[in-house]
Amino acid sequence: SMDKKTLVIQKELSTDMEFSGDFLLKELTKKHIKIDAAMWFFYAEINDWKYILVFDEFSQKGSSFVYEAISDINRKALSKRYKRIPLNYIEVKSNTSFIYKSMKGLIHMQSGRVRIANSMINNFEINDCLIYRYV
């Protein structure tokens, strides 16, 4: 059900999208879930944004482990500003995933926000993305 606590994914990255992505990563980190990368990534072929999480223990625990943690955060979040990212907009990937490996060496950061647009890295096209962590 869509309500005011659910994030609306827009074609232009909104401040709500930026905030929710940042907040969610911080909450996952508080749960000691090791995230190697977190970013909003614009897929030109579907003309839509996805919130990508690269999960260190993907091979042992799988994506459902992260989705369950996110559901728990969504139920308990006290922030008035946080809007839940619809789960179908969240992609949990392993650190062997194509997108993670393609962008490796481009950037290294524990925290903050870096926007990269209209770039080619290792023959991999980045239309637009907002990175919160990339280790």
Side-chain angles (χ1 to χ4, degrees):
S1 64
M2 292 297 280
D3 56 74
K4 65 183 193 299
K5 293 299 291 171
T6 300
L7 185 66
V8 177
I9 310 296
Q10 295 168 331
K11 289 290 168 261
E12 291 296 321
L13 192 73
S14 67
T15 51
D16 280 350
M17 289 169 68
E18 284 195 36
F19 180 85
S20 289
D22 197 30
F23 181 88
L24 186 54
L25 173 61
K26 285 176 175 150
E27 292 297 306
L28 287 167
T29 303
K30 282 183 200 168
K31 287 180 174 284
H32 307 289
I33 295 171
K34 194 168 176 300
I35 301 294
D36 287 339
M39 62 181 157
W40 281 107
F41 189 89
F42 187 78
Y43 285 101
E45 59 271 26
I46 58 167
N47 197 35
D48 226 342
W49 290 92
K50 297 284 184 180
Y51 182 72
I52 295 175
L53 291 167
V54 177
F55 176 43
D56 184 55
E57 296 179 285
F58 187 93
S59 56
Q60 300 96 303
K61 294 184 177 172
S63 57
S64 60
F65 177 83
V66 180
Y67 287 115
E68 282 166 28
I70 291 169
S71 295
D72 189 57
I73 290 163
N74 287 344
R75 276 194 303 276
K76 296 172 182 168
L78 294 171
S79 166
K80 290 271 176 280
R81 272 195 70 193
Y82 174 61
K83 293 178 164 59
R84 296 183 293 260
I85 302 169
L87 291 184
N88 58 311
Y89 281 94
I90 299 176
E91 293 185 352
V92 180
K93 298 180 177 292
S94 79
N95 51 20
T96 61
S97 68
F98 176 74
I99 192 166
Y100 180 70
K101 282 168 44 177
S102 296
M103 290 173 70
K104 206 138 180 65
L106 172 68
I107 198 154
H108 189 96
M109 54 186 276
Q110 281 290 346
S111 63
R113 293 180 196 184
V114 173
R115 186 88 176 253
I116 296 171
N118 304 319
S119 296
M120 285 290 282
I121 177 86
N122 307 326
N123 289 327
F124 178 71
E125 189 178 4
I126 301 169
N127 282 281
D128 201 354
C129 70
L130 177 70
I131 302 168
Y132 301 99
R133 175 179 297 162
Y134 212 98
V135 296

